């Protein structure tokens, strides 16, 4: 029927999963037998065959790790900054929870900053500075923060 061919239908069965002839001896005994018969036998060790290894060795050689002397740790909030936060908060008569609500951060964030245990985040420090009116970054940490626009003459949004 030529009608079936016109639509590209091929009804011949397709068998999946069967492979061609044997590639070579599977066991040591079969390999020895093939050698005795004069057949050339080549054995190749496959990398990490039959194991679950992803890498051949450690990422950084052990000797390099031993010689590594640089202390790797994140920079934390200084004690001076932590004390300035506590002083500013108590001056406003806020507890930690109230202060956390004021700056829209979780209570744990305020606790970590006051314990000098937090990794400094400029965005969080900026919110704290604005609410407390105390400088927490750069020099003069703990000094009163001047409101925006009331800085030195000639700078900012002053009248000309």
């Amino acid at each position: 029927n030529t009608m079936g061919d016109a639509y590209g239908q091929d009804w011949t069965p397709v068998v999946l999963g069967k492979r061609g002839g044997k590639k070579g001896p599977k066991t040591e005994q079969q390999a020895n037998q093939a050698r005795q018969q004069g057949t050339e036998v080549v054995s190749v060790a496959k990398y990490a065959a039959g194991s679950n290894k992803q890498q051949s060795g450690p990422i950084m050689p052990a000797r390099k790790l031993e010689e590594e002397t640089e202390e790797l740790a994140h920079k934390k909030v200084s004690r001076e900054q932590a004390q300035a936060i506590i002083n500013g908060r108590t001056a406003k008569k806020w507890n930690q929870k109230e202060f956390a609500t004021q700056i829209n951060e979780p209570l744990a964030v305020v606790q970590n900053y006051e314990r000098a245990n937090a990794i400094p985040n400029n965005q969080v420090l900026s919110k704290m500075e604005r609410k407390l009116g105390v400088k927490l970054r750069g020099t003069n940490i703990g000094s009163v923060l001047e409101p925006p626009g009331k800085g030195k003459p000639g700078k900012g949004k002053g009248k000309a």
Side-chain angles (χ1 to χ4, degrees):
N1 185 349
T2 57
M3 194 68 160
D5 292 338
Y7 294 106
Q9 293 180 347
D10 183 12
W11 294 98
T12 55
V14 177
V15 180
L16 299 174
K18 291 197 176 181
R19 296 183 181 212
K22 288 189 175 183
K23 296 202 178 196
K26 296 277 184 201
T27 64
E28 191 66 35
Q29 187 180 8
Q30 288 174 334
N32 287 336
Q33 221 172 17
R35 284 187 194 104
Q36 287 172 356
Q37 291 172 0
T39 312
E40 187 178 335
V41 176
V42 179
S43 59
V44 179
K46 292 185 179 178
Y47 165 75
S51 72
N52 197 14
K53 285 187 179 176
Q54 296 294 317
Q55 295 173 331
S56 59
I59 295 167
M60 194 175 194
R63 195 172 114 236
K64 262 190 180 177
L65 276 173
E66 289 296 321
E67 291 170 359
E68 185 63 47
T69 55
E70 187 181 343
E71 194 63 40
L72 302 172
H74 287 291
K75 186 182 167 216
K76 303 273 183 175
V77 173
S78 71
R79 271 284 348 83
E80 188 183 5
Q81 285 173 309
Q83 199 55 53
I85 293 168
I86 294 168
N87 293 343
R89 179 177 58 77
T90 52
K92 299 252 183 194
K93 294 187 170 74
W94 290 332
N95 63 27
Q96 287 180 332
K97 180 138 181 66
E98 289 168 337
F99 180 47
T101 308
Q102 288 285 326
I103 62 169
N104 200 20
E105 291 289 337
L107 175 62
V109 169
V110 173
Q111 290 172 338
N112 285 334
Y113 273 83
E114 290 189 1
R115 256 191 264 127
N117 207 14
I119 298 166
N121 179 338
N122 276 327
Q123 198 172 10
V124 174
L125 285 170
S126 174
K127 286 193 233 178
M128 289 179 169
E129 281 178 335
R130 280 192 306 251
K131 285 294 177 187
L132 297 174
V134 175
K135 195 160 188 230
L136 299 173
R137 298 175 288 179
T139 54
N140 303 335
I141 291 173
S143 64
V144 176
L145 193 67
E146 292 184 19
K150 293 186 180 175
K152 295 174 188 166
K155 297 249 184 185
K157 300 174 187 166
K159 291 182 181 176

